[in-house]
């Protein structure tokens, strides 16, 4: 079937984080383009499967350990990436961020260092710190309208005894990079040199631009699989974040024991949600056609933004977005002060984005725009941004507004 992604869907009153819990200080009529879920309808086979499941009328304890599910998940990765996952290496977690928290506890001690590459998805920092571990930043380097890794710095950070491993964001949120095989090989080489683990967060791997292919780290480096854990999920891919279901691939049998002890025994997370199970089965077995259409729609929204910025906001730079539906835009040419930029976007333009600085100080002066929304919303967003920036260039911010928004999350 042909999906209609142009038609806005009212999400208010559904207790959605994105629409019903806007950041404080943002006007009620602001466009909500921050949290990473889509304002686009789910695939029809998922909706049908959920309706049919509801008709069974009972929603009791549900087994994750079943071949139907494991075949669907492993089948997806084999079909789309040529990645063969052993079913016994596949573990359930109610989310990738919870999985990262579990893994940090399984693999490290309090005070240990964990490498991340900022600007990066900020819950990495929150989770490391909340578990009393230390964030070790190896910042990405801006190169033209994209980013690259600083391998010399990464080597130095891995060399330190206290730093036990790295959380790799692949593809990277927010900078939109799909790492090349060459780059990933270098990361593995360095980790191998110092015998350190890598948690590869591949939650955005299905959402690459049409001509770009993601490389699963475990497929690339099978010889190092005992030190790699991959985290994937249907949540971003199929707009199912609320069903809280992710796929954690742990080839190392010792790590599997630790995971089972920590997750299944200590935290009693043995069963899964029946709606999640139903949705994921439908997604991974009947979701290809929807995904092809939604990717094309996201691609065209990104092209629209790139063309709009080139025509109307020449001092802004759209970072090349190879994956995700999150556009990372450099607005320092207009406003280098992150606090003023936040005020300008939220209060003046009425746009709720994820402010760049929350991804690390390297992101100050950038905004992250969620473009998985109907085109009319994206058009309205860009017009509001243009008008606010033009006004700001002429008059600056009025004084009372300058004082209203504190620079915190
Ligand atoms: C890189 C990355 N990891 C994890 C998540 C969230 O994962 P989950 O909702 O499964 O905890 C996100 C959400 O935006 C993300 O961008």
């Amino acid at each position: 079937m042909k999906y209609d992604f142009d038609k806005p869907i009212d999400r208010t009153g559904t207790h959605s984080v994105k629409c019903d819990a806007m950041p404080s200080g943002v006007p009620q009529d602001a466009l909500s383009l921050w949290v990473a879920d889509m304002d686009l309808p789910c695939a029809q086979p998922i909706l049908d499967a959920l309706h049919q499941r509801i008709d069974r009328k009972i929603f009791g304890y549900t087994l994750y350990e079943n071949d139907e599910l494991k075949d669907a998940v492993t089948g997806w990765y084999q079909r789309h990436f040529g990645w063969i996952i052993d079913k016994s290496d596949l573990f359930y977690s109610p989310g990738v961020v919870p999985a990262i928290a579990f893994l940090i506890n399984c693999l490290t001690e309090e005070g240990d260092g964990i490498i991340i590459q900022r600007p990066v998805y900020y819950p990495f920092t929150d989770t490391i710190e909340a578990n009393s571990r230390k964030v070790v930043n190896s910042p990405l380097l801006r190169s033209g309208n994209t980013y690259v890794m600083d391998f010399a710095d990464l080597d130095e950070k891995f060399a330190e005894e206290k730093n036990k491993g790295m959380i790799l964001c692949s593809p990277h949120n927010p900078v939109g990079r799909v790492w090349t095989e060459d780059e990933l090989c270098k990361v593995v080489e360095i980790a191998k040199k110092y015998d350190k683990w890598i948690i590869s967060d591949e939650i955005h791997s299905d959402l690459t631009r049409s001509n770009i292919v993601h490389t699963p780290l475990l497929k690339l480096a099978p010889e190092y699989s005992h030190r790699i854990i991959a985290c994937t999920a249907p949540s971003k891919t199929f707009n199912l974040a609320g069903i809280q279901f992710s796929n954690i691939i742990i080839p190392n049998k010792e790590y599997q024991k630790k995971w089972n002890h920590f997750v299944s025994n200590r935290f009693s997370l043995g069963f899964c949600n029946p709606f999640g199970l139903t949705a994921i089965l439908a997604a991974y077995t009947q979701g290809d056609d929807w995904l092809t259409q939604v990717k094309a729609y996201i691609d065209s929204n990104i092209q629209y933004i790139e063309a709009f910025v080139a025509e109307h906001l020449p001092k802004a730079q759209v970072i090349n977005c190879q994956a995700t539906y999150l556009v990372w835009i450099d607005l320092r040419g207009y406003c280098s002060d992150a606090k003023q930029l936040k005020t300008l976007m939220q209060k003046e333009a009425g746009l709720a984005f994820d402010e760049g600085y929350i991804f690390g100080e390297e992101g100050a002066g950038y905004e992250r725009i969620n473009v998985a929304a109907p085109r009319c919303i994206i058009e309205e967003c860009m017009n509001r941004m243009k008008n606010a920036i033009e006004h700001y260039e002429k008059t600056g911010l009025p004084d009372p507004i300058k004082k209203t928004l504190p620079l915190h999350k």
Side-chain angles (χ1 to χ4, degrees):
M1 70 181 269
K2 171 95 179 78
Y3 289 93
D4 179 6
F5 297 124
D6 281 333
K7 196 164 151 229
I9 297 173
D10 180 13
R11 296 179 64 181
T12 55
T14 62
H15 306 288
S16 106
V17 174
K18 194 177 190 178
C19 304
D20 292 326
M22 292 266 256
S24 64
V26 177
Q28 271 314 302
D29 60 351
L31 295 183
S32 181
L33 300 167
W34 60 302
V35 173
D37 59 31
M38 302 185 192
D39 287 335
L40 305 172
C42 280
Q44 195 58 43
I46 297 177
L47 301 176
D48 292 342
L50 286 170
H51 283 297
Q52 283 163 20
R53 182 66 188 83
I54 284 170
D55 287 343
R56 298 294 298 270
K57 299 183 183 176
I58 295 173
F59 312 110
Y61 294 115
T62 301
L63 285 173
Y64 173 76
E65 290 298 330
N66 70 80
D67 277 341
E68 193 185 6
L69 175 72
K70 293 205 166 188
D71 286 340
V73 178
T74 55
W76 176 268
Y77 288 100
Q78 182 161 6
R79 210 163 65 245
H80 287 264
F81 301 96
W83 175 21
I84 295 170
I85 300 172
D86 187 326
K87 279 194 271 183
S88 65
D89 295 344
L90 187 57
F91 291 82
Y92 163 75
S93 163
V96 166
V97 175
I100 289 173
F102 300 146
L103 290 165
I104 286 174
N105 280 276
C106 294
L107 302 177
T108 62
E109 304 291 333
E110 287 195 5
D112 284 345
I114 298 172
I115 302 166
I116 59 173
Q117 294 171 304
R118 288 179 178 150
V120 75
Y121 181 57
Y122 48 89
F124 289 179
T125 295
D126 299 344
T127 308
I128 292 168
E129 290 180 348
N131 284 282
S132 309
R133 272 67 169 172
K134 251 187 67 199
V135 168
V136 178
N137 183 24
S138 177
L140 295 177
L141 304 173
R142 174 84 187 266
S143 170
N145 73 340
T146 189
Y147 285 79
V148 292
M149 295 192 196
D150 184 342
F151 291 108
D153 183 71
L154 205 53
D155 190 296
E156 267 176 39
K157 302 277 157 68
F158 265 120
E160 281 183 40
E161 173 62 27
K162 256 315 209 186
N163 302 337
K164 302 300 180 193
M166 168 186 193
I167 305 175
L168 174 72
C169 199
S170 176
H172 191 98
N173 169 14
V175 310
R177 270 303 314 275
V178 174
W179 305 114
T180 62
E181 288 197 6
D182 193 39
E183 287 168 312
L184 293 172
C185 282
K186 280 191 189 140
V187 173
V188 171
E189 210 174 282
I190 299 170
K192 215 188 257 181
K193 185 167 153 194
Y194 301 104
D195 191 22
K196 306 282 166 94
W197 50 257
I198 304 168
I199 296 173
S200 187
D201 179 342
E202 301 182 13
I203 197 168
H204 295 281
S205 58
D206 296 312
L207 293 165
T208 52
R209 299 291 79 74
S210 308
N211 56 344
I212 296 179
V213 181
H214 158 86
T215 306
L217 197 64
L218 275 168
K219 181 188 169 203
L220 185 74
E223 78 293 350
Y224 203 57
S225 64
H226 59 291
R227 294 294 256 160
I228 297 173
I229 294 126
C231 302
T232 74
S235 50
K236 300 291 153 197
T237 313
F238 290 103
N239 201 18
L240 295 171
I243 67 149
Q244 300 191 307
F245 214 107
S246 57
N247 320 309
I248 312 304
I249 300 107
I250 312 175
N252 181 322
K253 300 292 168 204
E254 282 306 309
Y255 291 176
Q256 291 183 3
K257 272 192 213 150
K258 287 185 184 181
W259 173 279
N260 280 330
H261 172 68
F262 195 82
V263 179
S264 311
N265 302 345
R266 277 185 63 189
F267 286 88
S268 291
L269 265 176
F271 303 132
C272 67
N273 180 309
F275 298 110
L277 178 71
T278 302
I280 190 173
L281 273 172
Y284 282 147
T285 54
Q286 302 167 68
D288 293 50
D289 174 40
W290 178 90
L291 184 60
T292 304
Q293 293 187 43
V294 92
K295 279 174 68 165
Y297 197 81
I298 292 165
D299 286 1
S300 77
N301 276 355
I302 293 172
Q303 282 156 13
Y304 169 81
I305 290 178
E306 285 170 343
F308 187 98
V309 167
E311 187 177 347
H312 301 290
L313 294 167
K315 287 194 267 174
Q317 227 180 338
V318 180
I319 301 303
N320 185 21
C321 187
Q322 298 176 318
T324 79
Y325 46 74
L326 308 162
V327 167
W328 186 238
I329 178 165
D330 181 354
L331 291 169
R332 291 173 301 169
Y334 291 106
C335 182
S336 56
D337 179 307
K339 184 176 173 183
Q340 286 210 6
L341 184 61
K342 173 181 179 174
T343 304
L344 180 63
M345 290 301 128
Q346 295 190 350
K347 287 254 169 182
E348 291 286 281
L351 295 169
F353 299 144
D354 263 356
E355 298 299 316
Y357 63 82
I358 67 177
F359 299 88
E361 63 183 0
E362 298 80 1
Y366 292 73
E367 296 284 354
R368 194 195 74 172
I369 311 174
N370 180 340
V371 303
R375 173 63 65 81
C376 60
I377 306 284
I378 301 302
E379 287 172 2
E380 173 69 14
C381 159
M382 294 315 292
N383 280 309
R384 286 189 188 192
M385 183 188 283
K386 168 179 166 285
N387 292 341
I389 286 176
E390 281 174 0
H391 184 71
Y392 174 73
E393 291 242 277
K394 277 190 211 124
T395 62
L397 290 176
D399 274 348
I401 286 182
K402 266 185 199 162
K403 293 190 190 108
T404 49
L405 291 178
L407 187 58
H408 59 61
K409 291 179 195 173

